[in-house]
Amino acid sequence: MSNTKNLNDQKGVEKLQELAESIRICLFCTDLQTNDGATARPMSVQVVDDHGNLWFFSGKDSDKNHAIKHDKQVQLYFAHPGQSSYMVVNGEAEIIVDQAQFELLWSPLVETWFKGGKDDPNLSLIKVNTSSAYYWDTDGNKMINFFKMVMSVATGTNLVAGKEGEIKV
């Protein structure tokens, strides 16, 4: 990556939305003090709201919900190698039980995990309030960047344009 571009406020939220909602799946890490990888689990972000908060459905009885009750600090790792897009998000998680939010964020895919639908008694949301994030992103698609890398080797000049930077919301 060759171009550091830190993003603040609305531009930061927009980049967070762009990357999280296009990648969708992240490793959602709790119990950060253990740092052993056993507390990372794949989760699908439902939406990144206009304040930069990330929303996830979760079971009330899940290990991650129990971990959040003891320590709200979380890290989310997003990666899309095919698009050369990566992001790590640091934040504080909050468990929400709110039928109106369930209705707003519900999708048919969520029913795969919650057979009772929006009225499942085990249904909860996790809202991650972003404190900071860092991203790495390459412009263009995979095929174009492959050819740019081949040309970079042939010419000795880096032709792959990339960006990285801190996100503050």
Side-chain angles (χ1 to χ4, degrees):
M1 300 290 168
S2 60
N3 187 10
T4 300
K5 185 173 184 182
N6 295 328
L7 303 170
N8 297 311
D9 304 320
Q10 187 59 34
K11 291 289 186 193
V13 169
E14 289 170 5
K15 189 64 170 181
L16 196 62
Q17 289 171 324
E18 172 195 333
L19 290 174
E21 292 178 2
S22 69
I23 297 171
R24 265 302 157 213
I25 305 294
C26 69
L27 281 177
F28 190 112
C29 304
T30 57
D31 295 324
L32 302 180
Q33 298 303 316
T34 63
N35 200 24
D36 65 359
T39 61
R41 72 273 296 153
M43 295 283 293
S44 178
V45 67
Q46 297 304 305
V47 70
V48 179
D49 68 26
D50 292 337
H51 302 288
N53 301 309
L54 293 87
W55 292 81
F56 301 84
F57 279 102
S58 181
K60 289 179 186 175
D61 63 355
S62 69
D63 290 341
K64 80 188 125 335
N65 280 39
H66 290 298
I68 289 166
K69 287 176 186 174
H70 297 292
D71 183 359
K72 295 178 184 284
Q73 297 304 309
V74 297
Q75 287 183 320
L76 313 175
Y77 293 90
F78 291 87
H80 193 311
Q83 293 180 351
S84 295
S85 297
Y86 307 90
M87 180 171 61
V88 61
V89 176
N90 300 295
E92 190 171 281
E94 175 182 355
I95 298 167
I96 308 263
V97 178
D98 179 344
Q99 194 63 39
Q101 281 297 105
F102 296 164
E103 296 284 338
L104 183 65
L105 299 176
W106 188 261
S107 75
L109 288 175
V110 179
E111 201 157 348
T112 304
W113 290 274
F114 298 98
K115 299 298 183 198
K118 298 173 222 173
D119 297 316
D120 192 306
N122 193 38
L123 188 61
S124 72
L125 285 162
I126 298 174
K127 175 184 172 186
V128 176
N129 301 295
T130 303
S131 57
S132 67
Y134 201 88
Y135 73 97
W136 301 263
D137 195 19
T138 301
D139 296 331
N141 68 36
K142 186 177 181 179
M143 187 60 75
I144 290 171
N145 283 324
F146 172 76
F147 287 118
K148 285 181 178 180
M149 287 197 306
V150 170
M151 291 303 297
S152 293
V153 170
T155 64
T157 305
N158 184 1
L159 301 173
V160 180
K163 296 181 187 107
E164 67 177 276
E166 186 175 3
I167 296 173
K168 292 183 181 177
V169 295

Short mmCIF file of all heavy atoms in Angstrom, two decimals, residues 24-67:
data_model
loop_
_atom_site.label_atom_id
_atom_site.label_comp_id
_atom_site.label_asym_id
_atom_site.label_seq_id
_atom_site.Cartn_x
_atom_site.Cartn_y
_atom_site.Cartn_z
N ARG A 24 -18.87 -8.11 4.83
CA ARG A 24 -19.95 -8.72 5.60
C ARG A 24 -19.50 -9.60 6.77
O ARG A 24 -20.00 -9.46 7.86
CB ARG A 24 -20.85 -9.59 4.73
CG ARG A 24 -22.06 -9.08 4.15
CD ARG A 24 -23.12 -8.52 5.05
NE ARG A 24 -23.90 -7.61 4.23
CZ ARG A 24 -24.47 -6.54 4.64
NH1 ARG A 24 -24.43 -6.22 5.88
NH2 ARG A 24 -25.10 -5.75 3.84
N ILE A 25 -18.61 -10.54 6.54
CA ILE A 25 -18.21 -11.48 7.59
C ILE A 25 -16.92 -10.99 8.24
O ILE A 25 -15.98 -10.62 7.55
CB ILE A 25 -17.99 -12.90 7.03
CG1 ILE A 25 -19.22 -13.40 6.28
CG2 ILE A 25 -17.58 -13.86 8.14
CD1 ILE A 25 -20.45 -13.61 7.13
N CYS A 26 -16.91 -11.03 9.56
CA CYS A 26 -15.70 -10.65 10.29
C CYS A 26 -15.41 -11.70 11.35
O CYS A 26 -16.26 -12.53 11.67
CB CYS A 26 -15.86 -9.28 10.95
SG CYS A 26 -17.02 -9.25 12.33
N LEU A 27 -14.21 -11.66 11.86
CA LEU A 27 -13.90 -12.39 13.08
C LEU A 27 -14.18 -11.43 14.22
O LEU A 27 -13.59 -10.37 14.30
CB LEU A 27 -12.45 -12.87 13.11
CG LEU A 27 -12.16 -14.11 12.29
CD1 LEU A 27 -10.67 -14.45 12.34
CD2 LEU A 27 -12.99 -15.28 12.74
N PHE A 28 -15.12 -11.79 15.06
CA PHE A 28 -15.59 -10.98 16.17
C PHE A 28 -14.87 -11.49 17.41
O PHE A 28 -15.09 -12.62 17.83
CB PHE A 28 -17.11 -11.16 16.30
CG PHE A 28 -17.78 -10.21 17.24
CD1 PHE A 28 -18.64 -9.24 16.76
CD2 PHE A 28 -17.58 -10.30 18.61
CE1 PHE A 28 -19.29 -8.38 17.62
CE2 PHE A 28 -18.21 -9.43 19.48
CZ PHE A 28 -19.07 -8.46 18.98
N CYS A 29 -13.98 -10.69 17.98
CA CYS A 29 -13.11 -11.13 19.06
C CYS A 29 -13.50 -10.49 20.39
O CYS A 29 -13.59 -9.27 20.49
CB CYS A 29 -11.65 -10.78 18.75
SG CYS A 29 -11.09 -11.46 17.20
N THR A 30 -13.70 -11.33 21.40
CA THR A 30 -13.96 -10.88 22.77
C THR A 30 -12.81 -11.35 23.64
O THR A 30 -11.89 -12.02 23.16
CB THR A 30 -15.29 -11.47 23.27
OG1 THR A 30 -15.23 -12.89 23.19
CG2 THR A 30 -16.47 -10.95 22.48
N ASP A 31 -12.87 -11.06 24.92
CA ASP A 31 -11.82 -11.48 25.87
C ASP A 31 -10.44 -11.16 25.31
O ASP A 31 -9.57 -12.03 25.21
CB ASP A 31 -11.92 -12.98 26.19
CG ASP A 31 -13.19 -13.33 26.92
OD1 ASP A 31 -13.62 -12.51 27.76
OD2 ASP A 31 -13.74 -14.41 26.68
N LEU A 32 -10.22 -9.91 24.96
CA LEU A 32 -8.99 -9.51 24.28
C LEU A 32 -7.74 -9.75 25.13
O LEU A 32 -6.65 -9.91 24.59
CB LEU A 32 -9.07 -8.04 23.87
CG LEU A 32 -10.24 -7.68 22.95
CD1 LEU A 32 -10.21 -6.21 22.60
CD2 LEU A 32 -10.24 -8.54 21.70
N GLN A 33 -7.90 -9.81 26.44
CA GLN A 33 -6.74 -10.04 27.32
C GLN A 33 -6.15 -11.43 27.15
O GLN A 33 -4.95 -11.61 27.34
CB GLN A 33 -7.13 -9.81 28.78
CG GLN A 33 -7.58 -8.39 29.08
CD GLN A 33 -6.54 -7.35 28.72
OE1 GLN A 33 -5.37 -7.50 29.00
NE2 GLN A 33 -6.98 -6.28 28.09
N THR A 34 -6.98 -12.43 26.79
CA THR A 34 -6.46 -13.79 26.63
C THR A 34 -5.61 -13.90 25.38
O THR A 34 -4.66 -14.67 25.34
CB THR A 34 -7.59 -14.83 26.58
OG1 THR A 34 -8.40 -14.57 25.44
CG2 THR A 34 -8.40 -14.83 27.84
N ASN A 35 -6.00 -13.17 24.33
CA ASN A 35 -5.21 -13.09 23.11
C ASN A 35 -4.79 -14.45 22.57
O ASN A 35 -3.70 -14.64 22.08
CB ASN A 35 -3.97 -12.21 23.35
CG ASN A 35 -3.39 -11.71 22.04
OD1 ASN A 35 -4.10 -11.63 21.05
ND2 ASN A 35 -2.13 -11.37 22.06
N ASP A 36 -5.68 -15.46 22.70
CA ASP A 36 -5.32 -16.80 22.25
C ASP A 36 -6.08 -17.25 21.01
O ASP A 36 -5.91 -18.37 20.54
CB ASP A 36 -5.50 -17.81 23.38
CG ASP A 36 -6.94 -17.98 23.80
OD1 ASP A 36 -7.82 -17.30 23.23
OD2 ASP A 36 -7.20 -18.80 24.70
N GLY A 37 -6.94 -16.42 20.46
CA GLY A 37 -7.68 -16.76 19.26
C GLY A 37 -8.93 -17.59 19.51
O GLY A 37 -9.79 -17.70 18.64
N ALA A 38 -9.05 -18.19 20.69
CA ALA A 38 -10.20 -19.04 20.98
C ALA A 38 -11.48 -18.23 21.17
O ALA A 38 -12.57 -18.78 21.15
CB ALA A 38 -9.93 -19.88 22.23
N THR A 39 -11.35 -16.93 21.35
CA THR A 39 -12.53 -16.09 21.56
C THR A 39 -12.92 -15.33 20.30
O THR A 39 -13.69 -14.38 20.35
CB THR A 39 -12.31 -15.11 22.72
OG1 THR A 39 -11.21 -14.27 22.39
CG2 THR A 39 -12.03 -15.86 24.02
N ALA A 40 -12.40 -15.74 19.16
CA ALA A 40 -12.76 -15.15 17.87
C ALA A 40 -13.75 -16.09 17.19
O ALA A 40 -13.56 -17.30 17.17
CB ALA A 40 -11.52 -14.97 17.00
N ARG A 41 -14.82 -15.50 16.69
CA ARG A 41 -15.79 -16.31 15.97
C ARG A 41 -16.31 -15.51 14.77
O ARG A 41 -16.40 -14.28 14.82
CB ARG A 41 -16.93 -16.78 16.87
CG ARG A 41 -17.94 -15.79 17.31
CD ARG A 41 -17.66 -15.00 18.54
NE ARG A 41 -17.56 -15.71 19.79
CZ ARG A 41 -16.83 -15.26 20.79
NH1 ARG A 41 -16.14 -14.14 20.66
NH2 ARG A 41 -16.77 -15.89 21.91
N PRO A 42 -16.64 -16.21 13.67
CA PRO A 42 -17.17 -15.49 12.50
C PRO A 42 -18.57 -14.97 12.78
O PRO A 42 -19.40 -15.67 13.36
CB PRO A 42 -17.18 -16.54 11.40
CG PRO A 42 -17.09 -17.86 12.07
CD PRO A 42 -16.49 -17.65 13.43
N MET A 43 -18.80 -13.73 12.40
CA MET A 43 -20.10 -13.08 12.58
C MET A 43 -20.39 -12.26 11.32
O MET A 43 -19.47 -11.74 10.68
CB MET A 43 -20.08 -12.14 13.78
CG MET A 43 -19.90 -12.79 15.13
SD MET A 43 -21.37 -13.59 15.75
CE MET A 43 -22.43 -12.17 16.04
N SER A 44 -21.67 -12.12 11.02
CA SER A 44 -22.10 -11.34 9.86
C SER A 44 -22.70 -10.02 10.32
O SER A 44 -23.68 -10.00 11.05
CB SER A 44 -23.15 -12.14 9.07
OG SER A 44 -23.61 -11.40 7.98
N VAL A 45 -22.11 -8.94 9.88
CA VAL A 45 -22.63 -7.61 10.23
C VAL A 45 -23.92 -7.38 9.46
O VAL A 45 -24.02 -7.70 8.27
CB VAL A 45 -21.58 -6.50 9.95
CG1 VAL A 45 -21.30 -6.32 8.48
CG2 VAL A 45 -22.00 -5.18 10.57
N GLN A 46 -24.92 -6.87 10.15
CA GLN A 46 -26.21 -6.58 9.51
C GLN A 46 -26.17 -5.21 8.84
O GLN A 46 -26.61 -5.06 7.70
CB GLN A 46 -27.34 -6.62 10.54
CG GLN A 46 -27.53 -7.97 11.18
CD GLN A 46 -27.76 -9.05 10.14
OE1 GLN A 46 -28.67 -8.97 9.33
NE2 GLN A 46 -26.94 -10.08 10.17
N VAL A 47 -25.63 -4.24 9.56
CA VAL A 47 -25.58 -2.88 9.03
C VAL A 47 -24.55 -2.09 9.83
O VAL A 47 -24.27 -2.42 10.99
CB VAL A 47 -26.98 -2.20 9.09
CG1 VAL A 47 -27.39 -1.89 10.51
CG2 VAL A 47 -27.06 -0.96 8.22
N VAL A 48 -24.02 -1.06 9.19
CA VAL A 48 -23.23 -0.04 9.89
C VAL A 48 -24.09 1.22 9.82
O VAL A 48 -24.39 1.72 8.74
CB VAL A 48 -21.86 0.20 9.22
CG1 VAL A 48 -21.10 1.28 9.97
CG2 VAL A 48 -21.06 -1.09 9.15
N ASP A 49 -24.52 1.70 10.98
CA ASP A 49 -25.43 2.85 10.98
C ASP A 49 -24.69 4.16 10.71
O ASP A 49 -23.47 4.18 10.54
CB ASP A 49 -26.27 2.89 12.27
CG ASP A 49 -25.46 3.20 13.54
OD1 ASP A 49 -24.39 3.84 13.46
OD2 ASP A 49 -25.93 2.80 14.62
N ASP A 50 -25.43 5.23 10.66
CA ASP A 50 -24.87 6.54 10.30
C ASP A 50 -23.94 7.14 11.36
O ASP A 50 -23.33 8.18 11.13
CB ASP A 50 -26.00 7.53 10.00
CG ASP A 50 -26.75 7.18 8.72
OD1 ASP A 50 -26.17 6.48 7.87
OD2 ASP A 50 -27.91 7.61 8.58
N HIS A 51 -23.83 6.48 12.51
CA HIS A 51 -22.91 6.91 13.56
C HIS A 51 -21.66 6.03 13.61
O HIS A 51 -20.81 6.22 14.47
CB HIS A 51 -23.60 6.90 14.92
CG HIS A 51 -24.82 7.76 14.97
ND1 HIS A 51 -24.77 9.14 14.98
CD2 HIS A 51 -26.13 7.44 14.95
CE1 HIS A 51 -25.99 9.63 14.99
NE2 HIS A 51 -26.84 8.63 14.97
N GLY A 52 -21.57 5.05 12.70
CA GLY A 52 -20.42 4.16 12.67
C GLY A 52 -20.53 2.97 13.61
O GLY A 52 -19.55 2.29 13.87
N ASN A 53 -21.73 2.69 14.12
CA ASN A 53 -21.96 1.52 14.97
C ASN A 53 -22.25 0.31 14.08
O ASN A 53 -23.01 0.43 13.11
CB ASN A 53 -23.15 1.74 15.90
CG ASN A 53 -22.95 2.95 16.79
OD1 ASN A 53 -21.94 3.08 17.45
ND2 ASN A 53 -23.94 3.83 16.80
N LEU A 54 -21.68 -0.82 14.43
CA LEU A 54 -21.90 -2.05 13.69
C LEU A 54 -22.89 -2.91 14.47
O LEU A 54 -22.78 -3.04 15.69
CB LEU A 54 -20.60 -2.83 13.49
CG LEU A 54 -19.59 -2.14 12.57
CD1 LEU A 54 -18.71 -1.18 13.34
CD2 LEU A 54 -18.74 -3.16 11.86
N TRP A 55 -23.86 -3.52 13.76
CA TRP A 55 -24.94 -4.28 14.39
C TRP A 55 -24.89 -5.74 13.95
O TRP A 55 -24.75 -6.03 12.77
CB TRP A 55 -26.29 -3.67 14.01
CG TRP A 55 -26.53 -2.32 14.60
CD1 TRP A 55 -26.07 -1.12 14.13
CD2 TRP A 55 -27.29 -2.03 15.76
NE1 TRP A 55 -26.51 -0.10 14.94
CE2 TRP A 55 -27.28 -0.63 15.95
CE3 TRP A 55 -28.01 -2.81 16.66
CZ2 TRP A 55 -27.93 0.00 17.00
CZ3 TRP A 55 -28.67 -2.19 17.71
CH2 TRP A 55 -28.62 -0.80 17.87
N PHE A 56 -25.04 -6.63 14.94
CA PHE A 56 -25.01 -8.07 14.72
C PHE A 56 -26.16 -8.73 15.49
O PHE A 56 -26.46 -8.31 16.61
CB PHE A 56 -23.72 -8.68 15.28
CG PHE A 56 -22.46 -8.13 14.68
CD1 PHE A 56 -21.90 -6.95 15.15
CD2 PHE A 56 -21.81 -8.80 13.66
CE1 PHE A 56 -20.73 -6.45 14.62
CE2 PHE A 56 -20.64 -8.31 13.11
CZ PHE A 56 -20.10 -7.13 13.59
N PHE A 57 -26.75 -9.78 14.94
CA PHE A 57 -27.68 -10.61 15.71
C PHE A 57 -26.86 -11.63 16.48
O PHE A 57 -25.83 -12.12 16.00
CB PHE A 57 -28.67 -11.34 14.79
CG PHE A 57 -29.82 -10.47 14.37
CD1 PHE A 57 -29.85 -9.89 13.11
CD2 PHE A 57 -30.88 -10.24 15.24
CE1 PHE A 57 -30.91 -9.10 12.72
CE2 PHE A 57 -31.94 -9.44 14.86
CZ PHE A 57 -31.97 -8.87 13.60
N SER A 58 -27.33 -11.98 17.67
CA SER A 58 -26.62 -12.93 18.52
C SER A 58 -27.60 -13.60 19.48
O SER A 58 -28.63 -13.00 19.83
CB SER A 58 -25.53 -12.19 19.31
OG SER A 58 -24.81 -13.09 20.12
N GLY A 59 -27.25 -14.78 19.92
CA GLY A 59 -28.06 -15.47 20.90
C GLY A 59 -27.79 -14.92 22.30
O GLY A 59 -26.64 -14.71 22.67
N LYS A 60 -28.84 -14.72 23.07
CA LYS A 60 -28.67 -14.23 24.44
C LYS A 60 -27.76 -15.15 25.25
O LYS A 60 -27.02 -14.70 26.11
CB LYS A 60 -30.02 -14.13 25.15
CG LYS A 60 -30.92 -13.04 24.68
CD LYS A 60 -32.24 -13.09 25.45
CE LYS A 60 -33.24 -12.11 24.93
NZ LYS A 60 -34.55 -12.25 25.62
N ASP A 61 -27.84 -16.46 24.96
CA ASP A 61 -27.09 -17.45 25.73
C ASP A 61 -25.72 -17.77 25.12
O ASP A 61 -25.05 -18.69 25.56
CB ASP A 61 -27.90 -18.72 25.90
CG ASP A 61 -28.20 -19.42 24.57
OD1 ASP A 61 -27.85 -18.87 23.49
OD2 ASP A 61 -28.78 -20.52 24.60
N SER A 62 -25.30 -16.99 24.12
CA SER A 62 -24.03 -17.30 23.43
C SER A 62 -22.82 -16.94 24.29
O SER A 62 -22.90 -16.09 25.18
CB SER A 62 -23.95 -16.53 22.10
OG SER A 62 -23.82 -15.15 22.34
N ASP A 63 -21.71 -17.60 23.99
CA ASP A 63 -20.45 -17.30 24.68
C ASP A 63 -20.05 -15.85 24.50
O ASP A 63 -19.55 -15.21 25.43
CB ASP A 63 -19.33 -18.22 24.18
CG ASP A 63 -19.50 -19.65 24.62
OD1 ASP A 63 -20.25 -19.91 25.59
OD2 ASP A 63 -18.89 -20.54 23.99
N LYS A 64 -20.26 -15.30 23.29
CA LYS A 64 -19.84 -13.91 23.06
C LYS A 64 -20.67 -12.94 23.89
O LYS A 64 -20.15 -11.99 24.43
CB LYS A 64 -19.82 -13.57 21.58
CG LYS A 64 -21.12 -13.25 20.93
CD LYS A 64 -20.95 -13.12 19.46
CE LYS A 64 -21.85 -14.00 18.65
NZ LYS A 64 -22.39 -15.19 19.14
N ASN A 65 -21.99 -13.21 24.04
CA ASN A 65 -22.80 -12.33 24.89
C ASN A 65 -22.33 -12.41 26.34
O ASN A 65 -22.25 -11.38 27.01
CB ASN A 65 -24.28 -12.71 24.79
CG ASN A 65 -24.94 -12.15 23.55
OD1 ASN A 65 -24.35 -12.13 22.48
ND2 ASN A 65 -26.17 -11.72 23.67
N HIS A 66 -22.01 -13.61 26.81
CA HIS A 66 -21.51 -13.75 28.18
C HIS A 66 -20.18 -13.00 28.34
O HIS A 66 -19.96 -12.33 29.35
CB HIS A 66 -21.34 -15.22 28.56
CG HIS A 66 -22.64 -15.94 28.72
ND1 HIS A 66 -23.58 -15.60 29.66
CD2 HIS A 66 -23.16 -16.98 28.02
CE1 HIS A 66 -24.63 -16.40 29.55
NE2 HIS A 66 -24.41 -17.25 28.56
N ALA A 67 -19.31 -13.11 27.33
CA ALA A 67 -18.01 -12.43 27.39
C ALA A 67 -18.20 -10.91 27.42
O ALA A 67 -17.51 -10.21 28.16
CB ALA A 67 -17.14 -12.84 26.21
#
